[in-house]
Amino acid sequence: MDIAEVLNHTSPDLFLSDLTATDKQSALAEMVTGLVAGTTITNNETILQMLQSRENLGSTAVGPGIAFPHGRTLAVQKLTILIARSREGIDFDSEDGKPTQLFFMLIAPPQDSGHKYIKSLAALTDKMQNTELRDKLLESADFEGFCTTLKEG
Amino acid sequence: MHPQLQLLVALQDMEQMIQEAEDQKKAAELEGMGFNLGGLDGLKSAQEELEAKIDPRHRNYYRRLTKHFGHAVVPVVGNLCTGCFASIPASFVSVTNENKVQKCENCGRILYWP
């Protein structure tokens, strides 16, 4: 899947430039709050519970300084992606033990026509192998700049 | 939302996650992206704990529906049950029904308003 297509599932309202959370649980809660604020989604409790279950299955912090909290839930009707950054970095139980600064949160409905959810996750994890691109994304001034950098990277 | 419905929705989400982690093809896809799915046993324990919190009456009904349909809880979209596409009466979403676990009058699936 093309990265521009992935970005169709997010919006400026789903971009948290600098999280205030300092630990994993509060970071997940802050991102879910941002998701509810930026969409018509209402059931934040169900989404948070699903994300916590997913983290119990295995940390989603798999890239260098990057995490992809993700999962399917009845609480959403279409694939929705929230992007968040943390200047200070957050301990997200990454394999390398380093703090996580960049987050792509993907929430999908149980049934997902065209496998957009898995394809988007694959496209993002593939793109984020590039550490130089990750550094540029951390420096992007705003949502538009972030998206432009991601498409060009 | 009715607290029991909240639990049923969480249970269904968790069971889908477990199914995907146990599905060799889907698990391989996620592992190929670098995700670790090693906590499956812990997730199954959490599922059992969650299930124990559900009233036996709702739990048994949920199990019967899951066996029959695959998914027991379905979202209502555009006043339609997305399980059987029967129309859901507007009275189902009135304030007086907030404390009920609502079922589709046509197929019996548990209804959830996202």
Side-chain angles (χ1 to χ4, degrees), chain B residues 18-30:
Chain B
I18 290 170
Q19 277 172 14
E20 290 190 355
E22 286 181 327
D23 182 308
Q24 287 189 351
K25 193 180 166 195
K26 287 178 180 171
E29 217 168 9
L30 287 168

Side-chain angles (χ1 to χ4, degrees), chain A residues 42-43 45-46 49-50 53-54 56-58 60 62 68 70 72-75 77 95 110-111 118 121-122 125, chain B residues 1 6 9-10 12-14 16-17 20 29-30 33-40 43 71 73 75 77 112 114:
Chain A
T42 56
N43 194 343
E45 199 179 319
T46 295
Q49 189 167 0
M50 180 277 290
S53 297
R54 177 60 189 87
N56 290 337
L57 184 60
T60 59
V62 295
F68 304 89
H70 64 268
R72 297 181 193 272
T73 172
L74 273 169
Q77 292 182 57
E95 278 186 7
Q111 272 87 28
I118 287 294
L121 197 54
T125 52
Chain B
M1 186 181 2
Q6 185 88 44
V9 169
Q12 186 163 296
D13 283 349
M14 200 182 280
Q16 180 164 17
M17 195 181 292
E20 290 190 355
E29 217 168 9
L30 287 168
M33 294 178 213
F35 294 108
N36 171 13
L37 307 176
L40 187 56
L43 193 58
H71 286 109
V73 189
V77 179
Y112 168 73

Side-chain angles (χ1 to χ4, degrees), chain B residues 74-89 104-109 111:
Chain B
V74 293
V76 176
V77 179
N79 288 330
L80 294 177
C81 163
T82 53
C84 69
F85 299 102
S87 184
I88 304 301
C104 174
E105 287 179 326
N106 184 54
C107 68
R109 288 178 177 95
L111 300 173

Side-chain angles (χ1 to χ4, degrees), chain A:
Chain A
M1 181 185 271
D2 183 65
I3 206 74
E5 209 177 325
V6 175
L7 290 170
N8 286 337
H9 301 284
T10 188
S11 75
D13 292 335
L14 294 171
F15 182 71
L16 306 181
S17 187
D18 191 13
L19 294 170
T20 58
T22 55
D23 61 72
K24 186 174 186 174
Q25 292 311 315
S26 53
L28 285 172
E30 190 176 349
M31 285 189 272
V32 171
T33 300
L35 181 78
V36 170
T39 62
T40 56
I41 297 165
T42 56
N43 194 343
N44 54 342
E45 199 179 319
T46 295
I47 297 171
L48 185 57
Q49 189 167 0
M50 180 277 290
L51 289 170
Q52 286 166 340
S53 297
R54 177 60 189 87
E55 294 300 323
N56 290 337
L57 184 60
S59 175
T60 59
V62 295
I66 307 169
F68 304 89
H70 64 268
R72 297 181 193 272
T73 172
L74 273 169
V76 302
Q77 292 182 57
K78 61 178 183 179
L79 173 63
T80 307
I81 301 174
L82 176 134
I83 299 164
R85 299 186 298 197
S86 164
R87 300 234 179 270
E88 294 298 315
I90 295 165
D91 180 357
F92 217 76
D93 298 326
S94 63
E95 278 186 7
D96 61 9
K98 292 181 180 169
T100 300
Q101 289 184 282
L102 185 55
F103 301 85
F104 292 92
M105 190 173 85
L106 292 85
I107 310 293
Q111 272 87 28
D112 174 28
S113 60
H115 305 287
K116 288 176 193 162
Y117 161 61
I118 287 294
K119 285 178 183 173
S120 297
L121 197 54
L124 285 168
T125 52
D126 182 51
K127 198 88 169 170
M128 287 302 107
Q129 298 293 322
N130 181 345
T131 52
E132 198 177 313
L133 173 61
R134 182 206 61 183
D135 292 343
K136 284 183 189 170
L137 292 172
L138 288 171
E139 295 306 318
S140 300
D142 51 23
F143 177 76
E144 283 72 25
F146 187 97
C147 292
T148 303
T149 303
L150 191 53
K151 285 177 198 167
E152 289 172 353

